[in-house]
Amino acid sequence: MSYCVNCGVELESSLVSCPLCNTPVINPNELPYVKKASPYPEEMGQVEVVKRKDWAILLSVVCGATALTCGLLNFLVFNQNMWSLLVIGICIIIWVAAFPAIVYTKLPIYVSLLADGASIAVYLYMITYVTHSDRWFFSLALPIVVIILCIAEIITLLGRKVSHTFLPSAVYLFGGVAILCVSIELLIDRFTGNKPALSWSAIVLTVCVIIEIALITILSRRRFRDAVRRRLHF
Amino acid sequence: MASQKNNRAERREWYKLDLSAIVYPTLQRKDFSSVYRLSVILKEEIQPEILQQAVDTALKRFPTYKAAIRKGLFWRYLEPNVRPGPFVQPDIKNPCMPMPFKANNRYLIRIYYHHCRIALEAHHSLGDGTGGMCVLQTITAVYLRLLGHKISCGGFVLDVDETPDPEELEDAYIRYANAQVRPPRPGEKTYRVRGTKEPFYTLNIIDGILSVKEIAKVASSYDATITEYLNACLLYALMQKQQHDWHKKLRPVKIAMPVNLRRFFPSKTLRNFITMVYPSIDPRLGEYTFEEIITQVHFYMRYYINEKFLRGDITTNAATQQNPVIRVIPLFIKDFVVRLFYTKVQDKNSSAGLTNMGALKVPEDMKPFIERFDIYMGQPFSSRTNCAIISFEDILTINFASSIKESDVERYFFKKLVQDGIHVKIESNREMED
Ligand SMILES: [Zn+2]
């Protein structure tokens, strides 16, 4: 029989710390590391998936049928160029993007974002079959997609782990926009063969930096203010 | 009109949702259902096959629990469910999971077993704790009979061979919603506990187990009943929590407490027949001592919980539902409005929930087989703590359920009990990290 030294309540014998105050239970008379059975089961229950199964089927059928018919049409009738790849690509993007929204999957949001990015990259690559050159894809489209994907993942991570309230979200967003604009300009410079230099993105960068500084000041000042109030209250 | 309906009850193929059941399906989200759990701990290990037999036998007696919910154009309704099930299943760590209406063969109840425990989870649109307790105790009685024990009927244990009494299936609100005025219900923003949300889907449980005799002695030393005393403890805990966290503005601390209307208006209904009262204190008026809180709660209860006030309350509730204009508004608009009203007004009107099912009676010959009962109000709609109390013989269990990481309210609450010299034993499904 153990008691919490802090709360004075008796603790059920399988508890290793007090659920009320997180004080660990140390009972010198009892052997440590003998795990006792908790009155609660170990297994977590899962909510049964019924979420709009029919909608998922409908979506898959519509996307699949569109892609297939366009492919056939392209192959058999209007076969001047590979136009059907554009339609098929769009179908893939719609399917990948809408699937997690319609069917409740246990997929973490990071993975579904990655899938979205990958499907867009695949689509862009398909376009290269129509344009006859894939230089624009490798030196411009793919890097931009990768950068946007990274920024989106980082913003999601920050929103999940740090704070998802209004002001911090604005900080992430403007930071992301600044990085994106600068990298797009540098990539364009490289693509066109110009010397890498900042022109229009410098303006965006400046504006974003000013907004960031303002936001961070507001955030930190509020924290500062609360800290002062906490320590100096009377 | 009500009696006419009752005569036809046996032949009925569907049931209207009762007055308070209308709200619960509206609040259904991917991560939230109004599900409560009742459980009984027996003295011997449960045998799942026999329990399944008991469930199958007992549920025939409860047509409104062997039901599925469906959408009409204007209202939802319950329909007898003839699909296979519900099936007993091993218990899980996170009780009161969301209950999608189309899952689980459309059943709105779940039955779990774990060592010596039988647990019943029911969607609130089927009925309240009293109704659920009848189902649970009847299942338990049938189970014990299948094991060869002799268990008599009475109280919560219904006779499974009887046909259901139409009164058990009635919407008792309508019968008693006959006051001549509709007293307005004041609503104001109350203190909300802030906390870190747990990931989908976790329900943190802390149970306190104590002796009825001990707590009754302490409560009477304050000239209060056990319910009043525990209400005051929870208000005290919430008040302390509000003081310790930093808030720009203090807000009143209110508890939403369901009152079992069967105590005042005789009805055998197994569906919802409860209404809410809101014992509260207002820290903006000054600091309260515990004695002041308990006095406040004591007189609040005396003033509000009586047949007259409650009749007025029921009438106010029923008025909106019976309004002919509201009745012909399509369901999706109603859903939208009700959800909006609930999240903006009703949900903000209380800081925590507390329910006390009181001292539970079971047939004399069933007593020796039962260790204790537990009751969980289920997942709170927003970040707050729900507290449910039930007692059997000398064991009183206080079950806290919350979906936030912090357990400060629970700590303040149990600390107060310990300070008053009550011995509390804690059980929990929480796993604390450092
Ligand atoms: Zn403790």
Side-chain angles (χ1 to χ4, degrees), chain A residues 3 9-10 12 19-20 22 39-41 43-46 48 104, chain B residues 93-94 104 117 200 205 207 376 407 411 423-426 432-433:
Chain A
Y3 282 80
V9 292
E10 185 193 333
E12 191 269 323
L20 299 172
N22 212 3
Y40 289 91
E43 300 80 38
M44 291 282 279
Q46 301 292 345
E48 200 180 315
Y104 173 70
Chain B
K93 197 182 166 189
N94 47 339
N104 193 20
R117 175 166 56 205
F200 180 91
I205 287 174
D207 300 339
Y376 300 92
S407 55
R411 187 175 67 246
H423 180 270
V424 182
K425 186 182 172 186
I426 296 287
M432 294 293 219
E433 318 119 34

PDB file of all heavy atoms in Angstrom, chain A residues 3 9-10 12 19-20 22 39-41 43-46 48 104, chain B residues 93-94 104 117 200 205 207 376 407 411 423-426 432-433:
ATOM      1  N   TYR A   3       1.286   5.537  -0.480  1.00  0.00           N
ATOM      2  CA  TYR A   3       0.595   6.821  -0.429  1.00  0.00           C
ATOM      3  C   TYR A   3       1.424   7.853  -1.178  1.00  0.00           C
ATOM      4  O   TYR A   3       2.653   7.745  -1.237  1.00  0.00           O
ATOM      5  CB  TYR A   3       0.422   7.275   1.021  1.00  0.00           C
ATOM      6  CG  TYR A   3      -0.702   6.563   1.723  1.00  0.00           C
ATOM      7  CD1 TYR A   3      -0.517   5.294   2.236  1.00  0.00           C
ATOM      8  CD2 TYR A   3      -1.950   7.160   1.836  1.00  0.00           C
ATOM      9  CE1 TYR A   3      -1.549   4.629   2.861  1.00  0.00           C
ATOM     10  CE2 TYR A   3      -2.990   6.502   2.459  1.00  0.00           C
ATOM     11  CZ  TYR A   3      -2.784   5.234   2.971  1.00  0.00           C
ATOM     12  OH  TYR A   3      -3.820   4.582   3.576  1.00  0.00           O
ATOM     13  N   VAL A   9      -3.021  10.823  -0.748  1.00  0.00           N
ATOM     14  CA  VAL A   9      -4.004   9.825  -1.160  1.00  0.00           C
ATOM     15  C   VAL A   9      -3.318   8.472  -1.285  1.00  0.00           C
ATOM     16  O   VAL A   9      -2.127   8.392  -1.574  1.00  0.00           O
ATOM     17  CB  VAL A   9      -4.658  10.188  -2.514  1.00  0.00           C
ATOM     18  CG1 VAL A   9      -5.519  11.410  -2.368  1.00  0.00           C
ATOM     19  CG2 VAL A   9      -3.620  10.382  -3.598  1.00  0.00           C
ATOM     20  N   GLU A  10      -4.100   7.419  -1.059  1.00  0.00           N
ATOM     21  CA  GLU A  10      -3.558   6.081  -1.266  1.00  0.00           C
ATOM     22  C   GLU A  10      -3.542   5.809  -2.763  1.00  0.00           C
ATOM     23  O   GLU A  10      -4.467   6.180  -3.471  1.00  0.00           O
ATOM     24  CB  GLU A  10      -4.435   5.042  -0.563  1.00  0.00           C
ATOM     25  CG  GLU A  10      -3.858   3.651  -0.633  1.00  0.00           C
ATOM     26  CD  GLU A  10      -4.851   2.572  -0.222  1.00  0.00           C
ATOM     27  OE1 GLU A  10      -5.774   2.864   0.566  1.00  0.00           O
ATOM     28  OE2 GLU A  10      -4.696   1.438  -0.696  1.00  0.00           O
ATOM     29  N   GLU A  12      -3.311   3.125  -5.967  1.00  0.00           N
ATOM     30  CA  GLU A  12      -3.530   1.748  -6.411  1.00  0.00           C
ATOM     31  C   GLU A  12      -2.161   1.153  -6.765  1.00  0.00           C
ATOM     32  O   GLU A  12      -1.292   1.854  -7.282  1.00  0.00           O
ATOM     33  CB  GLU A  12      -4.468   1.825  -7.620  1.00  0.00           C
ATOM     34  CG  GLU A  12      -5.037   0.527  -8.103  1.00  0.00           C
ATOM     35  CD  GLU A  12      -4.151  -0.073  -9.149  1.00  0.00           C
ATOM     36  OE1 GLU A  12      -3.586   0.682  -9.951  1.00  0.00           O
ATOM     37  OE2 GLU A  12      -4.013  -1.298  -9.141  1.00  0.00           O
ATOM     38  N   PRO A  19      -1.111  10.088 -10.092  1.00  0.00           N
ATOM     39  CA  PRO A  19      -1.769  10.685 -11.255  1.00  0.00           C
ATOM     40  C   PRO A  19      -2.194  12.131 -11.006  1.00  0.00           C
ATOM     41  O   PRO A  19      -2.470  12.859 -11.946  1.00  0.00           O
ATOM     42  CB  PRO A  19      -2.991   9.799 -11.495  1.00  0.00           C
ATOM     43  CG  PRO A  19      -3.019   8.801 -10.420  1.00  0.00           C
ATOM     44  CD  PRO A  19      -1.875   8.999  -9.500  1.00  0.00           C
ATOM     45  N   LEU A  20      -2.248  12.529  -9.750  1.00  0.00           N
ATOM     46  CA  LEU A  20      -2.692  13.888  -9.449  1.00  0.00           C
ATOM     47  C   LEU A  20      -1.544  14.888  -9.548  1.00  0.00           C
ATOM     48  O   LEU A  20      -1.725  15.995 -10.014  1.00  0.00           O
ATOM     49  CB  LEU A  20      -3.297  13.946  -8.046  1.00  0.00           C
ATOM     50  CG  LEU A  20      -4.514  13.066  -7.806  1.00  0.00           C
ATOM     51  CD1 LEU A  20      -4.891  13.074  -6.345  1.00  0.00           C
ATOM     52  CD2 LEU A  20      -5.682  13.540  -8.651  1.00  0.00           C
ATOM     53  N   ASN A  22       2.009  13.777 -10.197  1.00  0.00           N
ATOM     54  CA  ASN A  22       3.179  13.241 -10.891  1.00  0.00           C
ATOM     55  C   ASN A  22       4.371  12.965  -9.975  1.00  0.00           C
ATOM     56  O   ASN A  22       5.493  12.819 -10.443  1.00  0.00           O
ATOM     57  CB  ASN A  22       3.594  14.195 -12.024  1.00  0.00           C
ATOM     58  CG  ASN A  22       4.186  13.442 -13.193  1.00  0.00           C
ATOM     59  OD1 ASN A  22       4.229  12.213 -13.169  1.00  0.00           O
ATOM     60  ND2 ASN A  22       4.642  14.151 -14.200  1.00  0.00           N
ATOM     61  N   PRO A  39      -5.685  -1.850 -13.092  1.00  0.00           N
ATOM     62  CA  PRO A  39      -7.099  -2.205 -13.258  1.00  0.00           C
ATOM     63  C   PRO A  39      -7.619  -1.842 -14.649  1.00  0.00           C
ATOM     64  O   PRO A  39      -8.728  -2.214 -15.008  1.00  0.00           O
ATOM     65  CB  PRO A  39      -7.798  -1.392 -12.172  1.00  0.00           C
ATOM     66  CG  PRO A  39      -6.848  -0.328 -11.796  1.00  0.00           C
ATOM     67  CD  PRO A  39      -5.483  -0.824 -12.086  1.00  0.00           C
ATOM     68  N   TYR A  40      -6.838  -1.103 -15.409  1.00  0.00           N
ATOM     69  CA  TYR A  40      -7.263  -0.732 -16.758  1.00  0.00           C
ATOM     70  C   TYR A  40      -6.548  -1.578 -17.791  1.00  0.00           C
ATOM     71  O   TYR A  40      -5.392  -1.920 -17.618  1.00  0.00           O
ATOM     72  CB  TYR A  40      -6.983   0.753 -17.012  1.00  0.00           C
ATOM     73  CG  TYR A  40      -7.907   1.600 -16.223  1.00  0.00           C
ATOM     74  CD1 TYR A  40      -7.555   2.021 -14.953  1.00  0.00           C
ATOM     75  CD2 TYR A  40      -9.166   1.915 -16.712  1.00  0.00           C
ATOM     76  CE1 TYR A  40      -8.433   2.757 -14.191  1.00  0.00           C
ATOM     77  CE2 TYR A  40     -10.040   2.652 -15.960  1.00  0.00           C
ATOM     78  CZ  TYR A  40      -9.680   3.070 -14.705  1.00  0.00           C
ATOM     79  OH  TYR A  40     -10.551   3.790 -13.961  1.00  0.00           O
ATOM     80  N   PRO A  41      -7.234  -1.901 -18.871  1.00  0.00           N
ATOM     81  CA  PRO A  41      -6.593  -2.703 -19.913  1.00  0.00           C
ATOM     82  C   PRO A  41      -5.474  -1.917 -20.577  1.00  0.00           C
ATOM     83  O   PRO A  41      -5.431  -0.695 -20.496  1.00  0.00           O
ATOM     84  CB  PRO A  41      -7.728  -2.941 -20.917  1.00  0.00           C
ATOM     85  CG  PRO A  41      -8.960  -2.485 -20.266  1.00  0.00           C
ATOM     86  CD  PRO A  41      -8.602  -1.546 -19.187  1.00  0.00           C
ATOM     87  N   GLU A  43      -4.763  -2.269 -23.947  1.00  0.00           N
ATOM     88  CA  GLU A  43      -5.057  -1.999 -25.352  1.00  0.00           C
ATOM     89  C   GLU A  43      -5.866  -0.721 -25.513  1.00  0.00           C
ATOM     90  O   GLU A  43      -6.811  -0.474 -24.787  1.00  0.00           O
ATOM     91  CB  GLU A  43      -5.851  -3.147 -25.989  1.00  0.00           C
ATOM     92  CG  GLU A  43      -5.166  -4.483 -25.966  1.00  0.00           C
ATOM     93  CD  GLU A  43      -5.297  -5.159 -24.611  1.00  0.00           C
ATOM     94  OE1 GLU A  43      -6.378  -5.046 -24.003  1.00  0.00           O
ATOM     95  OE2 GLU A  43      -4.313  -5.759 -24.139  1.00  0.00           O
ATOM     96  N   MET A  44      -5.440   0.063 -26.513  1.00  0.00           N
ATOM     97  CA  MET A  44      -6.215   1.230 -26.876  1.00  0.00           C
ATOM     98  C   MET A  44      -7.292   0.793 -27.867  1.00  0.00           C
ATOM     99  O   MET A  44      -7.031  -0.023 -28.739  1.00  0.00           O
ATOM    100  CB  MET A  44      -5.326   2.263 -27.577  1.00  0.00           C
ATOM    101  CG  MET A  44      -4.317   2.917 -26.702  1.00  0.00           C
ATOM    102  SD  MET A  44      -5.060   4.197 -25.689  1.00  0.00           S
ATOM    103  CE  MET A  44      -5.127   5.563 -26.844  1.00  0.00           C
ATOM    104  N   GLY A  45      -8.491   1.334 -27.725  1.00  0.00           N
ATOM    105  CA  GLY A  45      -9.541   1.028 -28.687  1.00  0.00           C
ATOM    106  C   GLY A  45      -9.392   1.897 -29.920  1.00  0.00           C
ATOM    107  O   GLY A  45      -8.832   2.979 -29.851  1.00  0.00           O
ATOM    108  N   GLN A  46      -9.876   1.408 -31.040  1.00  0.00           N
ATOM    109  CA  GLN A  46      -9.862   2.205 -32.269  1.00  0.00           C
ATOM    110  C   GLN A  46     -11.303   2.467 -32.693  1.00  0.00           C
ATOM    111  O   GLN A  46     -12.124   1.562 -32.628  1.00  0.00           O
ATOM    112  CB  GLN A  46      -9.162   1.451 -33.400  1.00  0.00           C
ATOM    113  CG  GLN A  46      -7.727   1.077 -33.097  1.00  0.00           C
ATOM    114  CD  GLN A  46      -6.816   2.281 -33.005  1.00  0.00           C
ATOM    115  OE1 GLN A  46      -7.188   3.374 -33.424  1.00  0.00           O
ATOM    116  NE2 GLN A  46      -5.645   2.104 -32.439  1.00  0.00           N
ATOM    117  N   GLU A  48     -14.152   2.598 -35.121  1.00  0.00           N
ATOM    118  CA  GLU A  48     -14.389   1.844 -36.343  1.00  0.00           C
ATOM    119  C   GLU A  48     -14.476   2.789 -37.539  1.00  0.00           C
ATOM    120  O   GLU A  48     -15.061   3.862 -37.447  1.00  0.00           O
ATOM    121  CB  GLU A  48     -15.704   1.078 -36.202  1.00  0.00           C
ATOM    122  CG  GLU A  48     -15.833  -0.078 -37.144  1.00  0.00           C
ATOM    123  CD  GLU A  48     -17.161  -0.789 -36.936  1.00  0.00           C
ATOM    124  OE1 GLU A  48     -17.536  -1.021 -35.769  1.00  0.00           O
ATOM    125  OE2 GLU A  48     -17.818  -1.086 -37.932  1.00  0.00           O
ATOM    126  N   TYR A 104     -11.306   8.474 -43.100  1.00  0.00           N
ATOM    127  CA  TYR A 104     -10.462   8.716 -41.947  1.00  0.00           C
ATOM    128  C   TYR A 104      -9.346   7.698 -41.935  1.00  0.00           C
ATOM    129  O   TYR A 104      -9.560   6.519 -41.729  1.00  0.00           O
ATOM    130  CB  TYR A 104     -11.266   8.632 -40.650  1.00  0.00           C
ATOM    131  CG  TYR A 104     -10.378   8.710 -39.453  1.00  0.00           C
ATOM    132  CD1 TYR A 104      -9.754   9.907 -39.133  1.00  0.00           C
ATOM    133  CD2 TYR A 104     -10.108   7.596 -38.683  1.00  0.00           C
ATOM    134  CE1 TYR A 104      -8.900   9.992 -38.077  1.00  0.00           C
ATOM    135  CE2 TYR A 104      -9.249   7.667 -37.617  1.00  0.00           C
ATOM    136  CZ  TYR A 104      -8.641   8.872 -37.311  1.00  0.00           C
ATOM    137  OH  TYR A 104      -7.784   8.948 -36.259  1.00  0.00           O
TER     138      TYR A 104
ATOM    139  N   LYS B  93      -8.403   0.709 -23.109  1.00  0.00           N
ATOM    140  CA  LYS B  93      -7.811   1.656 -22.179  1.00  0.00           C
ATOM    141  C   LYS B  93      -8.489   3.021 -22.245  1.00  0.00           C
ATOM    142  O   LYS B  93      -8.449   3.787 -21.290  1.00  0.00           O
ATOM    143  CB  LYS B  93      -6.335   1.810 -22.541  1.00  0.00           C
ATOM    144  CG  LYS B  93      -5.522   2.420 -21.449  1.00  0.00           C
ATOM    145  CD  LYS B  93      -4.097   2.576 -21.889  1.00  0.00           C
ATOM    146  CE  LYS B  93      -3.400   3.493 -20.910  1.00  0.00           C
ATOM    147  NZ  LYS B  93      -2.088   3.873 -21.367  1.00  0.00           N
ATOM    148  N   ASN B  94      -9.078   3.328 -23.377  1.00  0.00           N
ATOM    149  CA  ASN B  94      -9.659   4.663 -23.570  1.00  0.00           C
ATOM    150  C   ASN B  94     -11.179   4.566 -23.734  1.00  0.00           C
ATOM    151  O   ASN B  94     -11.679   4.581 -24.851  1.00  0.00           O
ATOM    152  CB  ASN B  94      -9.042   5.331 -24.798  1.00  0.00           C
ATOM    153  CG  ASN B  94      -8.997   4.400 -25.995  1.00  0.00           C
ATOM    154  OD1 ASN B  94      -9.062   3.189 -25.855  1.00  0.00           O
ATOM    155  ND2 ASN B  94      -8.933   4.961 -27.175  1.00  0.00           N
ATOM    156  N   ASN B 104     -20.308  -0.290 -35.834  1.00  0.00           N
ATOM    157  CA  ASN B 104     -20.796  -1.246 -34.840  1.00  0.00           C
ATOM    158  C   ASN B 104     -22.190  -1.770 -35.189  1.00  0.00           C
ATOM    159  O   ASN B 104     -23.057  -1.898 -34.327  1.00  0.00           O
ATOM    160  CB  ASN B 104     -20.801  -0.530 -33.467  1.00  0.00           C
ATOM    161  CG  ASN B 104     -20.979  -1.485 -32.317  1.00  0.00           C
ATOM    162  OD1 ASN B 104     -20.741  -2.679 -32.447  1.00  0.00           O
ATOM    163  ND2 ASN B 104     -21.429  -0.950 -31.193  1.00  0.00           N
ATOM    164  N   ARG B 117     -14.886  -7.089 -14.494  1.00  0.00           N
ATOM    165  CA  ARG B 117     -15.723  -5.930 -14.775  1.00  0.00           C
ATOM    166  C   ARG B 117     -16.568  -6.110 -16.026  1.00  0.00           C
ATOM    167  O   ARG B 117     -16.096  -6.580 -17.045  1.00  0.00           O
ATOM    168  CB  ARG B 117     -14.830  -4.702 -14.929  1.00  0.00           C
ATOM    169  CG  ARG B 117     -15.583  -3.449 -15.341  1.00  0.00           C
ATOM    170  CD  ARG B 117     -14.756  -2.234 -15.158  1.00  0.00           C
ATOM    171  NE  ARG B 117     -13.491  -2.321 -15.884  1.00  0.00           N
ATOM    172  CZ  ARG B 117     -12.401  -1.648 -15.546  1.00  0.00           C
ATOM    173  NH1 ARG B 117     -12.416  -0.852 -14.512  1.00  0.00           N
ATOM    174  NH2 ARG B 117     -11.302  -1.767 -16.251  1.00  0.00           N
ATOM    175  N   PHE B 200      -6.023  12.560 -30.320  1.00  0.00           N
ATOM    176  CA  PHE B 200      -7.159  11.706 -30.642  1.00  0.00           C
ATOM    177  C   PHE B 200      -6.772  10.258 -30.420  1.00  0.00           C
ATOM    178  O   PHE B 200      -5.764   9.833 -30.929  1.00  0.00           O
ATOM    179  CB  PHE B 200      -7.512  11.923 -32.111  1.00  0.00           C
ATOM    180  CG  PHE B 200      -8.661  11.118 -32.591  1.00  0.00           C
ATOM    181  CD1 PHE B 200      -9.926  11.634 -32.513  1.00  0.00           C
ATOM    182  CD2 PHE B 200      -8.473   9.844 -33.123  1.00  0.00           C
ATOM    183  CE1 PHE B 200     -11.001  10.911 -32.968  1.00  0.00           C
ATOM    184  CE2 PHE B 200      -9.548   9.118 -33.565  1.00  0.00           C
ATOM    185  CZ  PHE B 200     -10.813   9.662 -33.489  1.00  0.00           C
ATOM    186  N   ILE B 205      -8.549   9.156 -17.056  1.00  0.00           N
ATOM    187  CA  ILE B 205      -9.456   8.800 -15.984  1.00  0.00           C
ATOM    188  C   ILE B 205      -8.715   8.812 -14.665  1.00  0.00           C
ATOM    189  O   ILE B 205      -7.596   8.303 -14.569  1.00  0.00           O
ATOM    190  CB  ILE B 205     -10.031   7.393 -16.239  1.00  0.00           C
ATOM    191  CG1 ILE B 205     -11.028   7.461 -17.375  1.00  0.00           C
ATOM    192  CG2 ILE B 205     -10.674   6.820 -14.999  1.00  0.00           C
ATOM    193  CD1 ILE B 205     -11.536   6.127 -17.781  1.00  0.00           C
ATOM    194  N   ASP B 207      -9.904   7.793 -10.771  1.00  0.00           N
ATOM    195  CA  ASP B 207     -10.970   7.353  -9.883  1.00  0.00           C
ATOM    196  C   ASP B 207     -10.523   7.530  -8.442  1.00  0.00           C
ATOM    197  O   ASP B 207      -9.401   7.187  -8.108  1.00  0.00           O
ATOM    198  CB  ASP B 207     -11.246   5.850 -10.053  1.00  0.00           C
ATOM    199  CG  ASP B 207     -11.660   5.480 -11.452  1.00  0.00           C
ATOM    200  OD1 ASP B 207     -12.109   6.379 -12.182  1.00  0.00           O
ATOM    201  OD2 ASP B 207     -11.537   4.290 -11.810  1.00  0.00           O
ATOM    202  N   TYR B 376     -18.956   6.905 -15.614  1.00  0.00           N
ATOM    203  CA  TYR B 376     -18.176   7.962 -16.248  1.00  0.00           C
ATOM    204  C   TYR B 376     -19.110   8.787 -17.116  1.00  0.00           C
ATOM    205  O   TYR B 376     -19.886   8.235 -17.880  1.00  0.00           O
ATOM    206  CB  TYR B 376     -17.067   7.379 -17.129  1.00  0.00           C
ATOM    207  CG  TYR B 376     -16.108   6.530 -16.355  1.00  0.00           C
ATOM    208  CD1 TYR B 376     -16.310   5.166 -16.233  1.00  0.00           C
ATOM    209  CD2 TYR B 376     -15.017   7.101 -15.715  1.00  0.00           C
ATOM    210  CE1 TYR B 376     -15.440   4.382 -15.504  1.00  0.00           C
ATOM    211  CE2 TYR B 376     -14.148   6.329 -14.983  1.00  0.00           C
ATOM    212  CZ  TYR B 376     -14.364   4.966 -14.883  1.00  0.00           C
ATOM    213  OH  TYR B 376     -13.510   4.194 -14.158  1.00  0.00           O
ATOM    214  N   SER B 407      -3.923  17.653 -14.509  1.00  0.00           N
ATOM    215  CA  SER B 407      -4.887  17.085 -13.572  1.00  0.00           C
ATOM    216  C   SER B 407      -5.004  17.950 -12.326  1.00  0.00           C
ATOM    217  O   SER B 407      -5.232  17.448 -11.230  1.00  0.00           O
ATOM    218  CB  SER B 407      -4.487  15.661 -13.218  1.00  0.00           C
ATOM    219  OG  SER B 407      -3.169  15.646 -12.724  1.00  0.00           O
ATOM    220  N   ARG B 411      -6.502  17.239  -8.544  1.00  0.00           N
ATOM    221  CA  ARG B 411      -5.609  17.291  -7.382  1.00  0.00           C
ATOM    222  C   ARG B 411      -6.192  18.170  -6.285  1.00  0.00           C
ATOM    223  O   ARG B 411      -6.274  17.771  -5.137  1.00  0.00           O
ATOM    224  CB  ARG B 411      -4.233  17.811  -7.787  1.00  0.00           C
ATOM    225  CG  ARG B 411      -3.235  17.709  -6.641  1.00  0.00           C
ATOM    226  CD  ARG B 411      -1.832  18.102  -7.038  1.00  0.00           C
ATOM    227  NE  ARG B 411      -1.733  19.515  -7.366  1.00  0.00           N
ATOM    228  CZ  ARG B 411      -1.469  19.984  -8.570  1.00  0.00           C
ATOM    229  NH1 ARG B 411      -1.290  19.149  -9.566  1.00  0.00           N
ATOM    230  NH2 ARG B 411      -1.396  21.274  -8.800  1.00  0.00           N
ATOM    231  N   HIS B 423     -10.157   9.136   3.822  1.00  0.00           N
ATOM    232  CA  HIS B 423      -9.159   8.283   3.188  1.00  0.00           C
ATOM    233  C   HIS B 423      -9.565   8.051   1.736  1.00  0.00           C
ATOM    234  O   HIS B 423     -10.655   7.559   1.464  1.00  0.00           O
ATOM    235  CB  HIS B 423      -9.069   6.958   3.945  1.00  0.00           C
ATOM    236  CG  HIS B 423      -8.070   6.034   3.357  1.00  0.00           C
ATOM    237  ND1 HIS B 423      -8.390   5.130   2.376  1.00  0.00           N
ATOM    238  CD2 HIS B 423      -6.742   5.891   3.595  1.00  0.00           C
ATOM    239  CE1 HIS B 423      -7.298   4.465   2.047  1.00  0.00           C
ATOM    240  NE2 HIS B 423      -6.285   4.902   2.773  1.00  0.00           N
ATOM    241  N   VAL B 424      -8.696   8.428   0.805  1.00  0.00           N
ATOM    242  CA  VAL B 424      -9.010   8.303  -0.618  1.00  0.00           C
ATOM    243  C   VAL B 424      -8.016   7.360  -1.272  1.00  0.00           C
ATOM    244  O   VAL B 424      -6.808   7.489  -1.075  1.00  0.00           O
ATOM    245  CB  VAL B 424      -8.918   9.677  -1.331  1.00  0.00           C
ATOM    246  CG1 VAL B 424      -9.297   9.534  -2.790  1.00  0.00           C
ATOM    247  CG2 VAL B 424      -9.791  10.692  -0.653  1.00  0.00           C
ATOM    248  N   LYS B 425      -8.530   6.411  -2.058  1.00  0.00           N
ATOM    249  CA  LYS B 425      -7.638   5.562  -2.846  1.00  0.00           C
ATOM    250  C   LYS B 425      -7.798   5.937  -4.317  1.00  0.00           C
ATOM    251  O   LYS B 425      -8.915   6.071  -4.803  1.00  0.00           O
ATOM    252  CB  LYS B 425      -7.990   4.094  -2.629  1.00  0.00           C
ATOM    253  CG  LYS B 425      -7.024   3.165  -3.307  1.00  0.00           C
ATOM    254  CD  LYS B 425      -7.415   1.721  -3.133  1.00  0.00           C
ATOM    255  CE  LYS B 425      -6.511   0.870  -3.998  1.00  0.00           C
ATOM    256  NZ  LYS B 425      -6.925  -0.528  -3.989  1.00  0.00           N
ATOM    257  N   ILE B 426      -6.673   6.111  -4.999  1.00  0.00           N
ATOM    258  CA  ILE B 426      -6.704   6.599  -6.382  1.00  0.00           C
ATOM    259  C   ILE B 426      -6.367   5.473  -7.361  1.00  0.00           C
ATOM    260  O   ILE B 426      -5.422   4.719  -7.145  1.00  0.00           O
ATOM    261  CB  ILE B 426      -5.677   7.741  -6.558  1.00  0.00           C
ATOM    262  CG1 ILE B 426      -6.043   8.945  -5.689  1.00  0.00           C
ATOM    263  CG2 ILE B 426      -5.555   8.155  -8.015  1.00  0.00           C
ATOM    264  CD1 ILE B 426      -7.222   9.727  -6.160  1.00  0.00           C
ATOM    265  N   MET B 432       1.960   9.011 -16.712  1.00  0.00           N
ATOM    266  CA  MET B 432       2.613  10.307 -16.632  1.00  0.00           C
ATOM    267  C   MET B 432       4.016  10.211 -17.217  1.00  0.00           C
ATOM    268  O   MET B 432       4.734   9.254 -16.981  1.00  0.00           O
ATOM    269  CB  MET B 432       2.736  10.732 -15.171  1.00  0.00           C
ATOM    270  CG  MET B 432       1.395  10.997 -14.535  1.00  0.00           C
ATOM    271  SD  MET B 432       0.641  12.436 -15.299  1.00  0.00           S
ATOM    272  CE  MET B 432      -0.093  13.193 -13.881  1.00  0.00           C
ATOM    273  N   GLU B 433       4.390  11.212 -17.977  1.00  0.00           N
ATOM    274  CA  GLU B 433       5.790  11.289 -18.376  1.00  0.00           C
ATOM    275  C   GLU B 433       6.411  12.381 -17.532  1.00  0.00           C
ATOM    276  O   GLU B 433       5.735  13.255 -17.039  1.00  0.00           O
ATOM    277  CB  GLU B 433       5.936  11.695 -19.841  1.00  0.00           C
ATOM    278  CG  GLU B 433       4.979  11.056 -20.781  1.00  0.00           C
ATOM    279  CD  GLU B 433       4.087  12.048 -21.500  1.00  0.00           C
ATOM    280  OE1 GLU B 433       4.559  13.158 -21.799  1.00  0.00           O
ATOM    281  OE2 GLU B 433       2.934  11.716 -21.733  1.00  0.00           O
TER     282      GLU B 433
END
